[in-house]
Amino acid sequence: MAIQPFAGGEGGFYARDRAWHPPVASPAYKSTTLRAPRHALLSLGQTRSELTGPAFGHDILNPLDNDLIRNFSQDGSDAIGQRLVVYGQIMDENARPVPNTLVEFWQANAGGRYRHKREGYIAALDPNFGGCGRAITDADGYYHFRTIKPGAYPWPNGGNDWRPAHIHFSVFGHAFAQRLITQMYFEGDPMIWQDPIALSIPDRTAVEQLIARLDRHNTTPMDTLAYRFDIVLRGRRSTFFENRVEGN
Amino acid sequence: MLNKLPPLKESPSQTAGPYVHIGLTPSLERITEANVPDLGAGPVPGFGPRIIVAGRVFDGSAAPVSDAVVELWQADADGNHGNAFGRVACDGTGAYRFDTVKPGRVGGPDGKLMAPHLTLWIVARGINIGLHTRVYFEDEAEANETDFVLNRIMDVRRRKTLIAVRSDADGKTVYTFDIRLQGGDETVFFDI
Ligand SMILES: [Fe+3]
């Protein structure tokens, strides 16, 4: 049996700053109450199982995966709503671009309604809007997609809680230790600051990291507004030995 | 020599929410135009004896977590991490199931081989940041004894939460691995 050598802990990822992320339990977000582990997470260090991760190529993409305005069109017409391009750069904590990584996104329609069997909001479905897409970052770590602005929606948590407009993001990175799911919010939306999910993040500066900025330079006249949303994945420590872990 | 602080902060995690299936397993929501076929669906590719790894996810009241998505990452039977990735949504009973290969042993940071294991990552409504855990195998007792990670679990009683139970039926080898997010038999989750 061939065994790959393992060079040790050097060149692993910086420890996750758990005070920057939301805690596992946030009482104002009630679903966390029974789903948050009570034991402290066990610090593992990182082994080959965490320093490697799946890779996906362009062959998995369908031609309209990055066009939510058209990728569920039933009758050839566009999805209803404010037309947007959402783009950004994926970097690591060392400010190095993360190229060739899969980004998946999903969202409600312009009325705030999801195409999901458990959705309970009375807002209308848009027959031409599915609500998901994906892209692979380019050599400089950039992704982009076309969509409509999602609506805010009510949800059963407190008596009258509303989610701010948001897009869900899933990012792989190049190691399973970098795996991340997060949400993108929109600049200037006052509803961010009443949202138990956004506010599960303790630090206001950290919440602001999830707010996409309106980008007037990349709007398309008479067509789409542009929002820029950069994402930062964990970065690797540098090593101080000549025989570096491969890929560092 | 010291590591400098990195210049950027990692983007904070947010819950995948109750509608995670639209993005990650869209066929379940009858979205058949974009993001198809579902990423990580079907038999997990890799070299080695085929096994089933299956179980249920429970919350702190022992209720099934029917809206979780579970991802799998592992080495093949030779101990190589190729592209053995899987992704499944739990069903209404909180059940998940992977058709995969039995992994081999991979070198660990202590210079010894780790016991065969799978890595799982669980996201759902009410999970603010994806939970990492590992599946070890009951029929690898000798390897488990010396495994670097299992031995870091100080409370010996909790180690068994990471050991899948083997059964053989209809010519298939099934390893059962339930995941308890909270409670007396809470699964060990890792800060990796
Ligand atoms: Fe949402």
Side-chain angles (χ1 to χ4, degrees):
Chain A
M1 190 163 79
I3 302 296
Q4 292 185 357
F6 183 80
E10 302 85 25
F13 289 91
Y14 297 106
R16 232 172 193 151
D17 182 352
R18 295 273 167 180
W20 188 252
H21 289 283
V24 291
S26 26
Y29 175 22
K30 293 180 182 174
S31 293
T32 64
T33 304
L34 287 171
R35 294 183 168 196
R38 296 270 175 84
H39 287 273
L41 301 178
L42 182 71
S43 190
L44 176 59
Q46 292 140 13
T47 75
R48 189 169 292 282
S49 301
E50 291 75 38
L51 295 173
T52 56
F56 305 101
H58 287 84
D59 56 310
I60 71 161
L61 299 180
N62 307 288
L64 293 180
D65 274 2
N66 72 341
D67 185 3
L68 282 70
I69 290 179
R70 294 305 293 271
N71 72 17
F72 195 79
S73 180
Q74 304 300 298
D75 61 10
S77 55
D78 289 355
I80 292 168
Q82 188 181 349
R83 299 161 69 84
L84 306 178
V85 166
V86 175
Y87 81 100
Q89 191 179 25
I90 301 188
M91 290 162 289
D92 68 17
E93 290 169 285
N94 295 315
R96 293 193 191 114
V98 181
N100 303 315
T101 195
L102 180 66
V103 189
E104 300 160 295
F105 18 87
W106 66 99
Q107 62 169 91
N109 72 19
R113 166 87 181 242
Y114 282 98
R115 184 172 290 281
H116 192 283
K117 57 182 167 299
R118 290 186 195 154
E119 166 69 282
Y121 184 30
I122 57 171
L125 270 177
D126 177 348
N128 294 311
F129 187 72
C132 67
R134 55 189 180 177
I136 291 175
T137 56
D138 68 16
D140 298 314
Y142 281 88
Y143 71 90
H144 70 276
F145 60 99
R146 208 165 71 131
T147 189
I148 50 86
K149 185 173 180 184
Y153 60 84
W155 59 300
N157 182 61
N160 184 25
D161 281 325
W162 290 72
R163 298 294 330 277
H166 63 275
I167 300 176
H168 297 263
F169 276 74
S170 152
V171 192
F172 277 86
H174 295 157
F176 218 54
Q178 290 180 299
R179 192 80 180 84
L180 181 71
I181 282 184
T182 189
Q183 299 183 29
M184 174 195 123
Y185 303 102
F186 290 86
E187 180 176 7
D189 185 350
M191 295 184 67
I192 296 166
W193 308 105
Q194 54 82 61
D195 175 34
I197 290 179
L199 298 185
S200 68
I201 300 167
D203 187 320
R204 189 183 172 102
T205 314
V207 177
E208 286 168 351
Q209 199 178 353
L210 299 183
I211 300 176
R213 308 292 157 190
L214 179 65
D215 177 5
R216 289 275 295 158
H217 295 292
N218 281 295
T219 56
T220 310
M222 304 302 290
D223 189 346
T224 49
L225 275 174
Y227 279 87
R228 176 170 180 143
F229 181 55
D230 294 337
I231 297 172
V232 179
L233 303 180
R234 296 171 72 182
R236 294 178 88 147
R237 299 186 301 264
S238 52
T239 71
F240 311 110
F241 305 100
E242 289 305 306
N243 53 340
R244 296 181 156 210
V245 175
E246 58 179 302
N248 180 45
Chain B
M1 202 172 178
L2 298 173
N3 271 297
K4 285 176 281 196
L5 276 177
L8 300 179
K9 296 292 286 184
E10 187 187 11
S11 295
S13 172
Q14 291 270 263
T15 179
Y19 310 122
V20 57
H21 313 96
I22 296 171
L24 302 193
T25 57
S27 74
L28 298 185
E29 304 308 323
R30 298 200 175 81
I31 296 169
T32 54
E33 288 84 355
N35 292 23
V36 293
D38 289 357
L39 195 76
V44 175
F47 163 73
R50 301 302 304 185
I51 60 171
I52 303 291
V53 176
R56 296 175 68 194
V57 184
F58 298 100
D59 73 9
S61 70
V65 177
S66 59
D67 51 10
V69 168
V70 182
E71 288 186 353
L72 164 82
W73 175 242
Q74 65 168 94
D76 69 11
D78 275 345
N80 295 312
H81 283 87
N83 221 16
F85 170 77
R87 175 191 275 171
V88 292
C90 289
D91 69 11
T93 69
Y96 72 92
R97 180 183 180 89
F98 290 107
D99 175 345
T100 187
V101 296
K102 180 93 180 281
R105 302 184 69 171
V106 179
D110 58 356
K112 295 186 202 137
L113 293 174
M114 293 186 284
H117 64 273
L118 316 172
T119 296
L120 297 185
W121 189 69
I122 302 118
V123 293
R125 167 179 68 88
I127 295 178
N128 277 337
I129 180 164
L131 296 170
H132 286 271
T133 190
R134 281 187 174 195
V135 181
Y136 286 87
F137 300 91
E138 130 182 280
D139 51 3
E140 298 283 353
E142 201 176 315
N144 292 343
E145 282 291 312
T146 57
D147 182 78
F148 165 79
V149 171
L150 286 174
N151 279 298
R152 282 180 84 154
I153 305 170
M154 288 304 156
D155 183 346
V156 177
R157 294 167 302 175
R158 298 196 70 213
R159 292 181 190 169
K160 71 174 188 309
T161 69
L162 301 189
I163 313 286
V165 176
R166 176 174 175 156
S167 59
D168 293 89
D170 305 327
K172 283 195 169 151
T173 300
V174 179
Y175 291 94
T176 301
F177 185 81
D178 290 338
I179 297 164
R180 292 182 174 80
L181 301 180
Q182 196 185 85
D185 293 327
E186 181 179 306
T187 301
V188 173
F189 297 106
F190 297 107
D191 187 11
I192 66 169

